[in-house]
Amino acid sequence: MTRRDHGCCYRCGIDQADVIADDPEASEHVLDHITPISEGGSATHMDNLGLLCTVCDQIKSKAEALRANQARRKAR
């Protein structure tokens, strides 16, 4: 995965090596399901997996949680 994505966040493009060089204590990029499984994304298909920096992961996770909460409210 890292090789395919060249170690870069698929949302903002920041290189993991640059993040670690700036702050050796920084977290590494995380593997992400581009389309969440809960929204119909594949759990294992390589086209649905990508690297995210921790900042983009936090932003994306909050947006996904908001969509899930809205969907639950509509289902009531």
Side-chain angles (χ1 to χ4, degrees):
M1 188 63 53
T2 300
R3 194 172 306 142
R4 182 195 74 185
D5 293 341
H6 307 286
C8 295
C9 174
Y10 74 84
R11 292 191 78 185
C12 73
I14 194 166
D15 190 312
Q16 180 170 306
D18 292 341
V19 173
I20 300 299
D22 287 344
D23 180 4
E25 301 294 318
S27 298
E28 292 186 2
H29 288 11
V30 296
L31 185 60
D32 177 63
H33 290 98
I34 296 167
T35 300
I37 297 168
S38 63
E39 294 178 11
S42 171
T44 58
H45 197 278
M46 293 299 288
D47 287 345
N48 194 41
L49 297 172
L51 292 176
L52 275 182
C53 68
T54 54
V55 173
C56 288
D57 182 48
Q58 290 172 356
I59 293 167
K60 184 175 181 277
S61 294
K62 287 178 184 179
E64 289 169 357
L66 179 62
R67 286 195 307 271
N69 287 334
Q70 290 172 338
R72 277 193 291 274
R73 283 189 209 120
K74 279 186 175 181
R76 289 182 188 177

